[in-house]
Amino acid sequence: MTPVVSRVSLDLGKDTAKIVTPADAAAVQSRVTRLLAKPLTADAAVQIALLNNRGLQAEYNALGVSEAEYVEASLPPSPTVSVERVTYRGELDIERRLIADLLQLITLPRRAKIAETEFRAAQYKTIQATFRTAVKARRAFYQAVAARETAAFLETARASASASAELTKKLGETGATTKLNQARSGALYAEVATELAEARLDAIKEREALTRELGLWGRDLDYKLPSRLPGFPPEDAG
């Protein structure tokens, strides 16, 4: 895991860790709880995902298996001692066992090299998975906040359309406006209300997608998102 942790720290400025023991899990949960104590940011979302994403933890476990296989392939065969009753084929049996041991010793460097290559490939794959998780978490954050902001905007628009439709209706009752204008006002309200319903569903869907990327459940599901997307950074005057 050391190359993965170092690469993430160097390129992303974030931490990641493999959860192995209950103490590891408790430490990660404590860090996640602190990050969720205030409205989520894009950077906090990435950090939580790098520590808590279930798929990423599965990648780290696979890397651990690959490392164990590499270590095993690098070790010489363990000596064995056995006592058998000698039969007329005893010499042939002993000869076969010695040949097998010699073949393992002869092929040890080649097998170790192959295992090392596979382990290095597993490391690169894990680093790629880690970076992919960071990208997906950041994208999910922006999509969730954008969907929430859209729903809030349409909520305001619906309130305005409702007030306009109500006013047009009252004007129509006094003869100050036409039936066509009343119909148009009512149609606009209905259209905005429909778009709002769709936006609310989209906001729920995007929040659930973000939750999956962050690996959250239980009490952590009640995290807070900002009401709007952050503004663009100021242009460099130079």
Side-chain angles (χ1 to χ4, degrees), residues 15-234:
D15 301 322
T16 191
K18 179 182 177 182
I19 300 175
V20 179
T21 66
D24 295 337
V28 166
Q29 182 58 52
S30 177
R31 181 85 178 275
V32 170
T33 299
R34 291 197 302 271
L35 290 170
L36 295 177
K38 50 189 176 181
L40 198 65
T41 65
D43 284 341
V46 171
Q47 181 59 84
I48 292 172
L50 291 178
L51 293 172
N52 207 46
N53 183 276
R54 300 296 187 268
L56 190 56
Q57 287 298 316
E59 292 285 349
Y60 292 164
N61 289 333
L63 178 61
V65 172
S66 178
E67 183 178 12
E69 292 175 347
Y70 167 47
V71 172
E72 181 180 1
S74 303
L75 297 176
S78 302
T80 58
V81 178
S82 62
V83 178
E84 298 180 358
R85 187 177 63 180
V86 178
T87 65
Y88 71 96
R89 296 187 59 188
E91 293 183 0
L92 181 58
D93 290 339
I94 294 172
E95 182 180 353
R96 285 177 178 172
R97 285 197 296 273
L98 289 175
I99 291 175
D101 291 342
L102 288 174
L103 286 175
Q104 288 185 1
L105 288 172
I106 292 172
T107 59
L108 177 62
R110 179 61 59 86
R111 289 187 291 108
K113 187 62 176 179
I114 293 174
E116 181 183 9
T117 301
E118 293 176 347
F119 175 54
R120 300 306 177 198
Q123 284 183 327
Y124 289 126
K125 179 184 176 183
T126 303
I127 292 172
Q128 183 183 41
T130 303
F131 277 66
R132 184 168 57 247
T133 296
V135 171
K136 291 174 67 176
R138 189 176 294 274
R139 180 170 58 238
F141 169 81
Y142 285 125
Q143 290 175 337
V145 176
R148 183 187 181 191
E149 187 174 358
T150 299
F153 169 79
L154 288 172
E155 181 68 52
T156 302
R158 187 188 68 165
S160 298
S162 176
S164 176
E166 185 65 24
L167 177 61
T168 304
K169 179 181 178 181
K170 290 180 178 179
L171 291 174
E173 292 172 352
T174 63
T177 190
T178 64
K179 294 290 184 181
L180 179 59
N181 285 337
Q182 294 180 59
R184 287 173 175 171
S185 183
L188 176 61
Y189 171 76
E191 181 180 356
V192 173
T194 299
E195 291 181 358
L196 174 60
E198 294 175 350
R200 285 174 171 172
L201 290 176
D202 187 55
I204 293 173
K205 181 188 69 174
E206 296 298 345
R207 183 184 175 95
E208 290 176 347
L210 174 60
T211 299
R212 287 194 299 271
E213 289 299 326
L214 302 184
L216 301 177
W217 64 286
R219 291 179 296 179
D220 291 336
L221 295 177
D222 193 28
Y223 61 90
K224 299 179 181 65
L225 286 174
S227 59
R228 62 182 59 190
L229 290 170
F232 291 104

